[in-house]
Amino acid sequence: MATGYVYHELYGWHDTGTHAGLLPADPRRGLQPHRHFENAEAKRRVHELVVVSGLIDRLTRLRPRPASDEEILRVHTAAHLARLASGSDAGDGGSPFGPGGLDIARLAAGGVIAAAESVVDGEVDNAYALVRPPGHHALPDTGMGFCLLANIAIAVAAVRATRGVRRVAVVDIDVHHGNGTQAVFAADPDVLTVSVHQERVFPPDSGHRTERGEGAGFGSAVNVPLPPGTGNGGYAAAMARVVVPALERFAPDLVIVAAGYDAGATDPLARMMVTASGFRAIASSLIEAAGRLCAGRIVFAHEGGYDPVYVPFCAHAVIEALAGVTDPLPDPFSPNFDFLAGQDLQPHQEEAIAAAEALLADIP
Ligand code: 6DK
Ligand code: ZN
């Protein structure tokens, strides 16, 4: 049993600055500069916890490489790549970046490619790519929502082009809608995109249950918008009743998870209340499904998550689940969050999940 792990110090050097769409700085209006929500801290602290806890010793370190033009252009337009290369548009779709930003974005996409290739090649059983910047909002011709390159879509395209992988399922548990991945593969019946997110947060007016894929790909996009306040019980029900059955119906050769932690109980950008044990349970249900459906081939690619204090424990729990750790690191915050009122499935959440169950029948 080997679990691959991708991290590179350059991921922490991607510079989102102190002034961007969501975070304007203007002293004349009383707006104090502050580091961007998508700063290095949460992800860097995940890596540090993985090292300090000793979990790193149970992982197989995989080396990320920069995604090539050829790999990027399978998903993005030449105009988008050229604009990122020029560095002139350092606010592309709400995704600021500093000098050398494209190089780091290439390394993030290449980190997910390396993880997927290692799993498909059987060098490791499964893998976690702790990359930055994130990718799931990026569209073929633009960055969006802190994302520059569509890391997961680029990795899906890579293993399909070079490894003959046919059917890939992308499960997006970031609290925001995985609109970019969905858009790239909307018309492709061989790529299933399932996004579980807080309803109507970001992108605005996106991720509705009625978005189901296009043309030959109809049914291959599944959206599970959940109401604010959903916790461990609601997420467990969404996994058991919609996401895992969707995977069973689709029968993928590989599963890739867009692993965001902004559905966490303390996240500043959303209003859900999943805890580290909740993330562990979500991950375990996906790992178990991949074990039954595709010889355990599953790759987690890190996306959002903005509380530097709690994200490390949530991601650590997921990586432990991947590595089959039986003596997990305790979550020191669990007494505060696991017993919050409303952690169990609520009737209005149940309604949303039941409505999404109706989508299963049309999965190709
Ligand atoms: N709202 C992510 O976590 C990124 O999914 C989340 C991006 C949220 C951006 C919120 C935002 C606006 C801004 C201006 C006008 C309307 C709404 F990609 C991940 F990092 F994973 O900018
Ligand atoms: Zn997010």
Side-chain angles (χ1 to χ4, degrees):
M1 178 78 197
T3 294
Y5 176 71
V6 173
Y7 183 71
H8 196 290
E9 277 63 23
L10 272 175
Y11 295 150
W13 294 14
H14 167 57
D15 184 6
T16 47
T18 57
H19 172 84
L22 189 60
L23 188 88
D26 183 349
R28 295 165 302 185
R29 291 196 289 145
L31 290 163
Q32 306 177 31
H34 192 273
R35 64 182 175 192
H36 193 281
F37 283 105
E38 206 295 295
N39 62 72
E41 208 61 353
K43 286 154 198 172
R44 191 148 62 199
R45 288 168 62 115
V46 171
H47 176 67
E48 290 182 2
L49 185 60
V50 166
V51 171
V52 170
S53 73
L55 178 56
I56 191 82
D57 297 329
R58 309 201 201 186
L59 305 173
T60 301
R61 199 70 189 257
L62 303 176
R63 184 178 293 277
R65 58 177 167 79
S68 67
D69 286 1
E70 185 188 358
E71 289 169 326
I72 292 168
L73 293 172
R74 288 192 189 109
V75 166
H76 292 283
T77 61
H80 177 54
L81 182 55
R83 196 172 52 245
L84 293 179
S86 77
S88 64
D89 192 13
D92 193 359
S95 311
F97 59 95
L102 174 59
D103 298 336
I104 303 178
R106 281 186 193 272
L107 200 62
V112 182
I113 296 173
E117 286 179 348
S118 294
V119 169
V120 170
D121 292 346
E123 290 165 7
V124 294
D125 297 290
N126 53 35
Y128 194 96
L130 176 54
V131 299
R132 181 172 176 265
H136 71 151
H137 299 309
L139 293 166
D141 61 348
T142 185
M144 183 189 283
F146 320 160
C147 302
L148 299 174
L149 297 175
N151 302 333
I152 289 178
I154 290 169
V156 169
V159 294
R160 294 175 89 208
T162 68
R163 302 297 199 275
V165 174
R166 205 167 76 85
R167 287 167 77 79
V168 183
V170 180
V171 176
D172 193 317
I173 60 165
D174 187 281
V175 82
H176 304 101
H177 178 222
N179 64 299
T181 325
Q182 174 180 297
V184 171
F185 299 112
D188 190 335
D190 286 326
V191 179
L192 174 72
T193 60
V194 184
S195 181
V196 183
H197 44 267
Q198 183 181 332
E199 63 189 353
R200 287 184 292 124
V201 176
F202 187 85
D205 201 27
S206 182
H208 305 295
R209 270 193 305 273
T210 48
E211 296 167 28
R212 307 186 61 185
E214 288 151 22
F218 180 80
S220 73
V222 173
N223 283 290
V224 191
L226 296 172
T230 303
N232 293 340
Y235 270 83
M239 301 310 291
R241 288 178 50 186
V242 183
V243 180
V244 169
L247 293 175
E248 285 165 350
R249 207 178 153 92
F250 182 73
D253 302 315
L254 170 70
V255 177
I256 303 191
V257 182
Y261 299 91
D262 36 17
T266 58
D267 197 273
L269 292 192
R271 290 296 174 269
M272 303 304 228
M273 40 189 215
V274 178
T275 70
S277 67
F279 282 109
R280 187 191 306 277
I282 292 168
S284 297
S285 71
L286 296 171
I287 294 162
E288 192 271 336
R292 282 186 287 117
L293 298 170
C294 52
R297 284 190 292 271
I298 188 165
V299 174
F300 283 66
H302 201 103
E303 296 279 357
Y306 305 98
D307 176 4
V309 174
Y310 199 41
V311 167
F313 287 93
C314 297
H316 194 278
V318 167
I319 302 170
E320 284 177 336
L322 267 175
V325 169
T326 52
D327 55 335
L329 182 72
D331 169 12
F333 300 99
S334 106
N336 304 327
F337 308 142
D338 272 336
F339 305 105
L340 287 172
Q343 277 296 11
D344 47 344
L345 177 66
Q346 304 295 306
H348 64 303
Q349 299 161 1
E350 143 87 41
E351 262 174 54
I353 292 165
E357 267 181 313
L359 307 173
L360 294 171
D362 289 313
I363 289 175

